[in-house]
């Protein structure tokens, strides 16, 4: 019944004049068709606002780096929806603008800058033209050949060579797993496996079941005395984890270990969701930064919904969590489709405002909505 109430709140979110207090008791009677309609409507509104903004104002950051690449991952999912041709056309134009190339300087091995490889592998799956992934394959081959033997201590520009910060686990691993999936070269997935656990062994706190942002946070404390665990940072990890699992064969040698980490993190993350469905920027000190925040919330909602859809976690334990998260997200969408309350580029918990938006937040929203759409399509009025 709680799930249906959250869905009903999302429906009312389409009509800004209605408040949560006006939700009728018949909210539990929301039909499958209504759920699907609501999710699709919000996906289209938010994606359309973002593309219109880019058309009129341009990208706010360099096109091939992580902010844009995260948006591209969400838009790739939009190409699978009704009306997806618009999004495919935009993505193809971006790839042409980049000449399907990766960065060519010392930043070539910086995980933030090869997240865009997922755009190239998407295009290759559509047209099977090796030109779309040729430079990415060259980069992946070089990464395989590199020693990756340095400490992950946060110094000496280590991020240019290793996955030394938790955000990198969304940027690098899914890109390399996607090139594995389209080429069948197991070396790429094996490298993901090796480097993922190197980073996890360094940044993961098994007691808290959360990741530090990087080594410089090991000794930092929040005002309440807890360690600093950043919402979006852990969102990057969990979302990156499921994107790799999505590419990983069921019989891969260490898949069970990946799934165990996923389940452990999901249980912990779900317990930290706030009453209104959001996760605050500081996971263990939500009172310090009480504002809503959508980028971390979207990444968590996406990753947990993925687990339900792929039967890695039980629906009965987590479906309420994801519908609460989705309802929180849609209530941060402005009437014109702008997604608000997105924490700006950073590395730690911080303040957020209603008008704050960013393209990576939109990308995460679209990923979450795509999984919620699949979940809604499976459900029925007599279900949960």
């Amino acid at each position: 019944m709680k799930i249906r109430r959250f869905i009903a709140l999302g429906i009312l979110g389409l009509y800004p004049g209605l408040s949560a207090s006006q939700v009728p008791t018949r909210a539990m009677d929301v039909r499958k068709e209504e759920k699907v309609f609501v999710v699709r409507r919000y996906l289209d509104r938010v994606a359309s606002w973002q593309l219109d903004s880019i058309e009129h104002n341009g990208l706010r950051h360099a096109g091939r780096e992580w902010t844009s690449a995260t948006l591209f991952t969400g838009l790739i999912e939009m190409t699978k929806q009704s009306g997806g041709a618009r999004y495919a056309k935009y993505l193809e134009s971006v790839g042409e603008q980049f000449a399907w190339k990766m960065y060519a300087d010392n930043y070539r091995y910086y995980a933030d800058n090869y997240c865009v490889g997922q755009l190239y592998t998407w295009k290759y799956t559509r047209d099977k033209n090796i030109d779309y992934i040729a430079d990415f394959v060259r980069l992946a081959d070089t990464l395989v050949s590199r020693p990756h033997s340095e400490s992950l201590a946060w110094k000496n520009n280590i991020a240019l060579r290793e996955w030394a910060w938790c955000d990198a686990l969304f940027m690098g691993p899914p890109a390399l797993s996607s090139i594995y999936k389209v080429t069948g070269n197991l070396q790429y997935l094996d490298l993901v496996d090796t480097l993922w656990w190197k980073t996890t062994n360094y940044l993961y706190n098994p007691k808290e079941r959360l990741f530090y942002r990087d080594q410089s946070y090991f000794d930092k404390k929040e005002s309440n005395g807890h360690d600093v665990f950043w919402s979006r940072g852990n969102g990057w990890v969990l979302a990156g984890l499921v994107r790799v699992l999505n590419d990983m064969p069921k019989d891969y040698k260490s898949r069970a270990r990946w799934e165990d980490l996923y389940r452990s993190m999901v249980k912990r993350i779900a317990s930290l969701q706030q009453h209104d469905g959001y996760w605050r920027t500081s996971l263990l000190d939500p009172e310090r930064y009480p504002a809503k925040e959508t980028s971390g919330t979207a990444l968590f909602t996406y990753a947990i919904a993925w687990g339900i859809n792929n039967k890695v976690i039980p629906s009965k334990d987590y479906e309420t969590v994801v519908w609460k998260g989705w309802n929180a997200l849609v209530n941060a969408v402005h009437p014109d489709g702008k997604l608000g309350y997105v924490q700006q580029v950073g590395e730690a918990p911080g303040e957020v405002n209603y008008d704050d938006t960013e393209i990576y937040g939109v990308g995460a929203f679209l990923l979450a909505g795509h999984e919620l759409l699949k979940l809604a399509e499976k459900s029925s009025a007599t279900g949960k």
Side-chain angles (χ1 to χ4, degrees):
M1 291 186 182
K2 287 182 179 179
I3 294 170
R4 291 174 188 159
R5 179 173 175 80
F6 295 129
I7 296 165
L9 285 169
I11 291 172
L12 291 178
L14 292 169
Y15 309 101
L18 294 178
S19 67
S21 64
Q22 294 172 290
V23 179
T25 57
R26 292 188 66 256
M28 68 180 66
D29 298 323
V30 172
R31 300 190 309 273
K32 167 185 173 180
E33 293 78 10
E34 290 172 325
K35 299 183 206 178
V36 171
F37 167 78
V38 169
V39 177
R40 283 182 175 161
R41 178 74 178 271
Y42 273 107
L43 285 170
D44 286 337
R45 288 176 66 198
V46 172
S48 292
W49 180 90
Q50 187 62 73
L51 286 195
D52 289 345
S53 175
I54 292 171
E55 181 180 348
H56 291 98
N57 305 310
L59 288 168
R60 299 175 65 178
H61 308 281
R64 272 183 294 185
E65 48 98 79
W66 67 274
T67 60
S68 303
T70 303
L71 172 64
F72 302 155
T73 63
L75 291 177
I76 285 169
E77 301 304 333
M78 291 299 293
T79 67
K80 303 171 185 177
Q81 309 297 332
S82 174
R86 178 190 182 191
Y87 307 110
K89 182 178 180 181
Y90 171 72
L91 291 169
E92 288 168 349
S93 72
V94 168
E96 293 294 340
Q97 177 187 341
F98 301 156
W100 309 101
K101 294 289 196 297
M102 314 302 286
Y103 277 80
D105 56 18
N106 288 337
Y107 285 83
R108 185 172 172 85
Y109 310 114
Y110 181 35
D112 280 1
N113 290 344
Y114 54 87
C115 184
V116 72
Q118 294 169 90
L119 170 62
Y120 302 167
T121 54
W122 164 78
K123 178 59 174 172
Y124 176 77
T125 62
R126 292 167 67 91
D127 296 346
K128 295 298 188 290
N129 184 336
I130 195 65
D131 291 343
Y132 298 129
I133 60 169
D135 194 44
F136 189 16
V137 168
R138 284 190 286 272
L139 171 60
D141 287 343
T142 301
L143 290 171
V144 166
S145 69
R146 290 167 71 88
H148 300 290
S149 57
E150 293 181 81
S151 164
L152 300 186
W154 197 244
K155 59 184 180 181
N156 300 326
N157 292 319
I158 187 62
L160 298 183
R161 301 177 301 279
E162 298 272 4
W163 298 342
W165 72 114
C166 71
D167 316 28
L169 296 183
F170 180 87
M171 311 307 165
L176 290 176
S177 68
S178 77
I179 200 70
Y180 151 72
K181 190 166 186 179
V182 300
T183 64
N185 188 337
L186 193 60
Q187 290 184 94
Y188 305 144
L189 187 58
D190 287 344
L191 179 63
V192 169
D193 188 48
T194 298
L195 297 187
W196 179 281
W197 294 109
K198 178 178 180 178
T199 302
T200 298
N201 290 338
Y202 194 70
L203 296 181
Y204 184 61
N205 181 320
K207 179 181 177 181
E208 296 290 358
R209 289 173 287 165
L210 297 169
F211 279 72
Y212 294 103
R213 197 275 177 174
D214 58 63
Q215 174 261 324
S216 71
Y217 283 83
F218 286 176
D219 298 319
K220 292 181 180 179
K221 300 291 182 181
E222 293 286 14
S223 58
N224 63 2
H226 283 294
D227 288 0
V228 178
F229 291 106
W230 181 34
S231 174
R232 188 165 71 230
N234 280 272
W236 288 132
V237 174
L238 200 57
L241 198 162
V242 303
R243 291 184 71 75
V244 172
L245 283 174
N246 215 39
D247 292 335
M248 183 181 285
K250 298 292 185 184
D251 60 353
Y252 186 69
K253 60 184 179 181
S254 61
R255 185 181 176 95
R257 187 183 183 192
W258 285 73
E259 291 187 356
D260 286 346
L261 175 62
Y262 170 77
R263 293 188 188 96
S264 181
M265 282 194 73
V266 163
K267 187 173 183 179
R268 178 61 161 145
I269 291 299
S271 74
L272 298 172
Q273 186 179 37
Q274 300 300 296
H275 66 91
D276 56 2
Y278 293 95
W279 283 266
R280 299 306 193 262
T281 62
S282 177
L283 290 174
L284 300 190
D285 192 1
E287 291 79 13
R288 182 178 182 186
Y289 303 104
K292 305 170 183 178
E293 204 285 311
T294 52
S295 63
T297 296
L299 291 166
F300 291 140
T301 301
Y302 160 63
I304 299 173
W306 180 93
I308 296 171
N309 286 329
N310 288 276
K311 303 186 186 309
V312 181
I313 53 175
S315 172
K316 65 181 178 64
D317 293 339
Y318 294 105
E319 196 165 349
T320 298
V321 173
V322 296
W323 282 115
K324 280 180 68 175
W326 177 249
N327 182 66
L329 291 170
V330 300
N331 280 303
V333 176
H334 294 206
D336 63 357
K338 173 182 175 180
L339 178 65
Y341 291 113
V342 180
Q343 187 185 6
Q344 299 299 281
V345 175
E347 61 181 39
E351 303 293 343
V352 195
N353 296 304
Y354 172 72
D355 287 319
D356 289 340
T357 194
E358 270 290 1
I359 55 179
Y360 51 80
V362 172
F365 178 95
L366 299 179
L367 289 173
H370 179 71
E371 289 299 324
L372 264 294
L373 182 59
K374 289 192 287 187
L375 192 60
E377 288 170 340
K378 294 176 183 176
S379 60
S380 67
T382 57
K384 301 176 182 65

